[in-house]
Amino acid sequence: MKDSSKRSINSDWKIELPGEFQLAGTTVRYVRRGLWEKMSAKGPTKTPLHLMVLLFHDQTYGIHYEYTVSLNATELEKVSEEQRQPEHLYLWTHSSWQDCSVQCGEGDRRTVVSCMKLVNKSMIPVNDSHCHPENRPLPQVRRCNLHPCQYRWVTAEWNHCSVTCGKGLQRREVGCVYQLQNGSVIPTQDLYCQGGKPPALQSCEGRHCLTVWEASEWSTCSSDCGTGFRNRTVTCTNPQGRCSPYSQPADQEPCEDQSKCYEWKTGDWSKCSSSCGKGLQSRVVQCMHRVTGRHGNDCPAPFRPPTYRPCHQEACNEKVNVNTITSPRLAALTYKCTGDQWTVYCRVIREKNLCQDMRWYQRCCDTCRDFYANKTPRKS
């Protein structure tokens, strides 16, 4: 900023520090915060002030300026007491941009200059008569719609489908036009437009059929063993709700599922195999059809119930007798084996290492004798 006496702020590529400067017969206060700068003066100015902006690479900056002009005595007489109370500041502003003057071929846009009233740091649009006409700034101008006017294809909206039900065709108008600067177009021959001509015909499907039923997926069968029913939802999708009941799909049908017919059946536990001490109980476990009772092999193996379980009776008499022989070799020599008495238990007794007990040895002597024969070391 400088005045006619060559006094200036930020001239000759030198950036001043914020402060107060004497220009144009008044004190100009200069404030700078980063890229934001402000210069203000209460005035009045005695010589013109010049504001110059340095631009880089065609970059534009937002510049806002305000100034007041004193009224002469004749103008003050025209203002009544009611108009001067309270006093407000009226100023011209560039409020918005107008539309481009043309749609092609290079036009311009101009700012809308409006009169504003400054009230409590906010601006309110008022009638232009409140601002002085001699201070009205010229509108700012920008170039716009620089592309040349040209030939181009124009298309109309698609017509209705040729049929109301099933597959049909749709048509639309397609033509070549030349666009003028004012936006109007002139129809011309297709050969002037470049590029492929947009289609004027396409396939379509009418959705207003008399019978348009839609069915959902079937549900699971109501029974997981034997016959049952499964259901689905059937809806009429005709826009007018006109669906023929004679063509309505079924919403229920019979079904059969045998996936969970077989299950494990168990009998009662037997008596404990020993009258004293530890023993075993057994029961029958079978895979059976839960409706017909037939045997099968479709039961889940991981869920098979146990066939044996241990049982406990009162403690046995501690007096030493033939039932307390602890030496397997002595038992094999002193006991006359006539065969296994409880065949159903002997395999489990051998697996559980119970042959050392003479009570079990007597009942499963064949199995236990063979077991100890394999475990007794041979003499060299």
Side-chain angles (χ1 to χ4, degrees):
M1 176 177 284
K2 70 177 183 178
D3 59 9
S4 57
S5 65
K6 297 185 179 180
R7 294 180 181 178
S8 61
I9 304 174
N10 294 344
S11 64
D12 297 329
W13 301 93
K14 181 179 67 174
I15 305 299
E16 304 283 357
L17 293 175
E20 295 182 350
F21 300 84
Q22 299 298 320
L23 274 78
T26 186
T27 301
V28 179
R29 187 168 181 263
Y30 173 53
V31 180
R32 184 175 71 247
R33 297 172 185 170
L35 297 178
W36 178 85
E37 294 176 287
K38 180 180 179 181
M39 298 178 184
S40 59
K42 293 184 177 180
T45 57
K46 296 180 180 180
T47 61
L49 278 172
H50 302 274
L51 177 65
M52 294 170 288
V53 180
L54 183 62
L55 302 179
F56 291 95
H57 304 293
D58 296 331
Q59 184 177 1
T60 59
Y61 297 88
I63 301 174
H64 177 74
Y65 61 90
E66 300 177 3
Y67 58 90
T68 59
V69 178
S70 62
L71 299 175
N72 53 36
T74 304
E75 292 174 334
L76 289 173
E77 292 176 357
K78 296 180 181 179
V79 181
S80 64
E81 187 68 23
E82 295 179 358
Q83 292 176 327
R84 289 188 287 124
Q85 294 295 334
E87 295 182 354
H88 296 292
L89 179 61
Y90 296 93
L91 50 91
W92 294 103
T93 62
H94 298 273
S95 58
S96 61
W97 286 93
Q98 297 177 348
D99 294 332
C100 191
S101 58
V102 298
Q103 294 191 1
C104 59
E106 187 175 342
D108 55 50
R109 296 178 63 192
R110 297 175 180 268
T111 56
V112 178
V113 180
S114 305
C115 183
M116 296 287 184
K117 180 174 68 174
L118 187 61
V119 179
N120 295 331
K121 297 183 180 181
S122 61
M123 304 182 72
I124 302 174
V126 296
N127 192 279
D128 290 351
S129 60
H130 291 82
C131 294
H132 297 286
E134 63 270 19
N135 298 331
R136 181 172 185 148
L138 294 176
Q140 299 178 15
V141 181
R142 288 181 181 175
R143 298 170 61 192
C144 57
N145 289 345
L146 305 181
H147 59 278
C149 299
Q150 59 184 355
Y151 295 93
R152 60 183 178 88
W153 295 105
V154 293
T155 58
E157 296 292 333
W158 288 103
N159 295 334
H160 294 294
C161 194
S162 59
V163 296
T164 59
C165 177
K167 295 183 178 180
L169 293 174
Q170 280 181 296
R171 299 180 184 273
R172 67 177 177 180
E173 296 293 332
V174 180
C176 180
V177 297
Y178 180 74
Q179 183 177 358
L180 302 178
Q181 283 191 337
N182 60 6
S184 59
V185 295
I186 300 176
T188 184
Q189 298 181 16
D190 291 354
L191 57 91
Y192 292 108
C193 287
Q194 298 181 353
K197 184 177 181 178
L201 190 67
Q202 72 174 6
S203 60
C204 60
E205 185 173 357
R207 300 295 297 174
H208 298 278
C209 298
L210 180 61
T211 302
V212 187
W213 294 101
E214 287 188 2
S216 64
E217 297 292 333
W218 286 107
S219 65
T220 57
C221 195
S222 60
S223 174
D224 55 7
C225 178
T227 58
F229 292 93
R230 61 178 185 175
N231 302 292
R232 66 179 177 180
T233 302
V234 179
T235 308
C236 175
T237 61
N238 183 274
Q240 286 78 29
R242 298 180 302 171
C243 292
S244 174
Y246 301 103
S247 61
Q248 180 177 358
D251 59 356
Q252 187 182 76
E253 68 176 10
C255 57
E256 184 174 356
D257 188 358
Q258 304 290 338
S259 61
K260 297 183 180 179
C261 284
Y262 286 90
E263 60 183 3
W264 292 106
K265 297 288 186 179
T266 58
D268 297 333
W269 289 105
S270 65
K271 293 182 179 179
C272 192
S273 59
S274 176
S275 59
C276 65
K278 296 180 181 180
L280 286 176
Q281 286 181 292
S282 65
R283 65 178 176 181
V284 177
V285 178
Q286 295 177 318
C287 179
M288 302 179 65
H289 196 285
R290 68 182 188 183
V291 178
T292 63
R294 292 179 298 179
H295 295 274
N297 299 316
D298 296 330
C299 294
F303 300 101
R304 177 187 174 93
T307 306
Y308 302 96
R309 71 176 181 183
C311 54
H312 301 272
Q313 302 293 345
E314 295 180 358
C316 298
N317 191 352
E318 297 296 334
K319 186 169 67 173
V320 178
N321 53 33
V322 70
N323 289 336
T324 59
I325 298 176
T326 58
S327 172
R329 187 172 182 80
L330 180 60
L333 294 174
T334 59
Y335 181 75
K336 184 178 180 180
C337 179
T338 59
D340 291 340
Q341 299 179 13
W342 293 348
T343 307
V344 67
Y345 295 113
C346 291
R347 178 176 57 84
V348 179
I349 290 172
R350 179 172 175 175
E351 292 175 354
K352 300 296 183 179
N353 201 20
L354 299 176
C355 289
Q356 299 178 12
D357 193 322
M358 190 57 190
R359 292 166 301 180
W360 287 111
Y361 183 88
Q362 291 175 351
R363 292 171 175 80
C364 301
C365 60
D366 277 351
T367 301
C368 289
R369 182 168 55 186
D370 177 65
F371 175 78
Y372 286 115
N374 295 334
K375 287 204 171 188
T376 305
R378 299 178 180 178
K379 293 183 179 179
S380 54

